PDB file of all heavy atoms in Angstrom:
ATOM      1  N   HIS A  42    -214.729 204.440   6.838  1.00 85.00           N
ATOM      2  CA  HIS A  42    -215.849 203.890   7.649  1.00 85.00           C
ATOM      3  C   HIS A  42    -215.350 202.706   8.470  1.00 85.00           C
ATOM      4  O   HIS A  42    -215.739 202.555   9.660  1.00 85.00           O
ATOM      5  CB  HIS A  42    -217.014 203.517   6.772  1.00 85.00           C
ATOM      6  CG  HIS A  42    -217.771 204.624   6.164  1.00 85.00           C
ATOM      7  ND1 HIS A  42    -218.356 205.573   6.981  1.00 85.00           N
ATOM      8  CD2 HIS A  42    -218.000 205.000   4.921  1.00 85.00           C
ATOM      9  CE1 HIS A  42    -218.919 206.493   6.230  1.00 85.00           C
ATOM     10  NE2 HIS A  42    -218.780 206.113   4.887  1.00 85.00           N
ATOM     11  N   GLY A  43    -214.476 201.906   7.949  1.00 86.00           N
ATOM     12  CA  GLY A  43    -213.912 200.746   8.698  1.00 86.00           C
ATOM     13  C   GLY A  43    -213.100 201.242   9.833  1.00 86.00           C
ATOM     14  O   GLY A  43    -213.196 200.717  10.937  1.00 86.00           O
ATOM     15  N   VAL A  44    -212.213 202.233   9.599  1.00 85.00           N
ATOM     16  CA  VAL A  44    -211.378 202.778  10.659  1.00 85.00           C
ATOM     17  C   VAL A  44    -212.246 203.342  11.729  1.00 85.00           C
ATOM     18  O   VAL A  44    -212.043 203.226  12.934  1.00 85.00           O
ATOM     19  CB  VAL A  44    -210.320 203.791  10.131  1.00 85.00           C
ATOM     20  CG1 VAL A  44    -209.667 204.527  11.238  1.00 85.00           C
ATOM     21  CG2 VAL A  44    -209.337 203.085   9.296  1.00 85.00           C
ATOM     22  N   LEU A  45    -213.283 204.138  11.305  1.00 82.00           N
ATOM     23  CA  LEU A  45    -214.191 204.809  12.323  1.00 82.00           C
ATOM     24  C   LEU A  45    -214.911 203.721  13.135  1.00 82.00           C
ATOM     25  O   LEU A  45    -215.082 203.853  14.344  1.00 82.00           O
ATOM     26  CB  LEU A  45    -215.240 205.729  11.528  1.00 82.00           C
ATOM     27  CG  LEU A  45    -216.185 206.487  12.379  1.00 82.00           C
ATOM     28  CD1 LEU A  45    -215.453 207.385  13.301  1.00 82.00           C
ATOM     29  CD2 LEU A  45    -217.172 207.147  11.545  1.00 82.00           C
ATOM     30  N   ALA A  46    -215.400 202.662  12.400  1.00 83.00           N
ATOM     31  CA  ALA A  46    -216.071 201.583  13.104  1.00 83.00           C
ATOM     32  C   ALA A  46    -215.123 200.923  14.158  1.00 83.00           C
ATOM     33  O   ALA A  46    -215.503 200.635  15.285  1.00 83.00           O
ATOM     34  CB  ALA A  46    -216.566 200.551  12.153  1.00 83.00           C
ATOM     35  N   CYS A  47    -213.810 200.692  13.779  1.00 79.00           N
ATOM     36  CA  CYS A  47    -212.865 200.047  14.735  1.00 79.00           C
ATOM     37  C   CYS A  47    -212.647 200.985  15.918  1.00 79.00           C
ATOM     38  O   CYS A  47    -212.517 200.534  17.002  1.00 79.00           O
ATOM     39  CB  CYS A  47    -211.558 199.800  13.986  1.00 79.00           C
ATOM     40  SG  CYS A  47    -211.690 198.387  12.852  1.00 79.00           S
ATOM     41  N   VAL A  48    -212.488 202.321  15.619  1.00 78.00           N
ATOM     42  CA  VAL A  48    -212.255 203.289  16.715  1.00 78.00           C
ATOM     43  C   VAL A  48    -213.436 203.335  17.676  1.00 78.00           C
ATOM     44  O   VAL A  48    -213.284 203.319  18.895  1.00 78.00           O
ATOM     45  CB  VAL A  48    -211.960 204.693  16.177  1.00 78.00           C
ATOM     46  CG1 VAL A  48    -212.009 205.726  17.192  1.00 78.00           C
ATOM     47  CG2 VAL A  48    -210.634 204.717  15.448  1.00 78.00           C
ATOM     48  N   LEU A  49    -214.628 203.385  17.096  1.00 77.00           N
ATOM     49  CA  LEU A  49    -215.838 203.370  17.979  1.00 77.00           C
ATOM     50  C   LEU A  49    -215.964 202.048  18.769  1.00 77.00           C
ATOM     51  O   LEU A  49    -216.297 202.048  19.939  1.00 77.00           O
ATOM     52  CB  LEU A  49    -217.063 203.560  17.113  1.00 77.00           C
ATOM     53  CG  LEU A  49    -217.266 204.975  16.553  1.00 77.00           C
ATOM     54  CD1 LEU A  49    -218.494 205.051  15.647  1.00 77.00           C
ATOM     55  CD2 LEU A  49    -217.399 206.000  17.663  1.00 77.00           C
ATOM     56  N   ALA A  50    -215.599 200.949  18.130  1.00 79.00           N
ATOM     57  CA  ALA A  50    -215.688 199.628  18.831  1.00 79.00           C
ATOM     58  C   ALA A  50    -214.649 199.611  19.932  1.00 79.00           C
ATOM     59  O   ALA A  50    -214.931 199.138  21.052  1.00 79.00           O
ATOM     60  CB  ALA A  50    -215.456 198.523  17.846  1.00 79.00           C
ATOM     61  N   GLY A  51    -213.455 200.149  19.657  1.00 78.00           N
ATOM     62  CA  GLY A  51    -212.459 200.160  20.703  1.00 78.00           C
ATOM     63  C   GLY A  51    -212.792 201.043  21.871  1.00 78.00           C
ATOM     64  O   GLY A  51    -212.597 200.685  23.072  1.00 78.00           O
ATOM     65  N   VAL A  52    -213.404 202.233  21.546  1.00 74.00           N
ATOM     66  CA  VAL A  52    -213.788 203.151  22.654  1.00 74.00           C
ATOM     67  C   VAL A  52    -214.914 202.474  23.434  1.00 74.00           C
ATOM     68  O   VAL A  52    -214.926 202.532  24.664  1.00 74.00           O
ATOM     69  CB  VAL A  52    -214.225 204.492  22.078  1.00 74.00           C
ATOM     70  CG1 VAL A  52    -214.928 205.344  23.081  1.00 74.00           C
ATOM     71  CG2 VAL A  52    -213.051 205.196  21.467  1.00 74.00           C
ATOM     72  N   GLY A  53    -215.828 201.876  22.798  1.00 74.00           N
ATOM     73  CA  GLY A  53    -216.974 201.153  23.481  1.00 74.00           C
ATOM     74  C   GLY A  53    -216.450 200.051  24.377  1.00 74.00           C
ATOM     75  O   GLY A  53    -216.851 199.912  25.529  1.00 74.00           O
ATOM     76  N   ALA A  54    -215.484 199.289  23.786  1.00 73.00           N
ATOM     77  CA  ALA A  54    -214.928 198.184  24.609  1.00 73.00           C
ATOM     78  C   ALA A  54    -214.173 198.729  25.822  1.00 73.00           C
ATOM     79  O   ALA A  54    -214.252 198.167  26.945  1.00 73.00           O
ATOM     80  CB  ALA A  54    -214.025 197.347  23.769  1.00 73.00           C
ATOM     81  N   GLY A  55    -213.393 199.837  25.646  1.00 74.00           N
ATOM     82  CA  GLY A  55    -212.704 200.431  26.739  1.00 74.00           C
ATOM     83  C   GLY A  55    -213.637 200.967  27.823  1.00 74.00           C
ATOM     84  O   GLY A  55    -213.433 200.764  29.046  1.00 74.00           O
ATOM     85  N   ALA A  56    -214.741 201.556  27.379  1.00 70.00           N
ATOM     86  CA  ALA A  56    -215.745 202.131  28.350  1.00 70.00           C
ATOM     87  C   ALA A  56    -216.371 200.956  29.076  1.00 70.00           C
ATOM     88  O   ALA A  56    -216.575 201.036  30.340  1.00 70.00           O
ATOM     89  CB  ALA A  56    -216.786 202.926  27.616  1.00 70.00           C
ATOM     90  N   LEU A  57    -216.668 199.846  28.382  1.00 67.00           N
ATOM     91  CA  LEU A  57    -217.252 198.749  29.013  1.00 67.00           C
ATOM     92  C   LEU A  57    -216.258 198.113  30.040  1.00 67.00           C
ATOM     93  O   LEU A  57    -216.699 197.753  31.171  1.00 67.00           O
ATOM     94  CB  LEU A  57    -217.639 197.623  27.950  1.00 67.00           C
ATOM     95  CG  LEU A  57    -218.301 196.428  28.481  1.00 67.00           C
ATOM     96  CD1 LEU A  57    -219.677 196.776  29.119  1.00 67.00           C
ATOM     97  CD2 LEU A  57    -218.565 195.413  27.333  1.00 67.00           C
ATOM     98  N   ALA A  58    -215.052 197.964  29.659  1.00 68.00           N
ATOM     99  CA  ALA A  58    -214.046 197.392  30.533  1.00 68.00           C
ATOM    100  C   ALA A  58    -213.862 198.284  31.762  1.00 68.00           C
ATOM    101  O   ALA A  58    -213.727 197.802  32.944  1.00 68.00           O
ATOM    102  CB  ALA A  58    -212.715 197.177  29.826  1.00 68.00           C
TER     103      ALA A  58
END
Side-chain angles (χ1 to χ4, degrees):
H42 289 301
V44 169
L45 182 62
C47 289
V48 168
L49 289 176
V52 169
L57 182 65

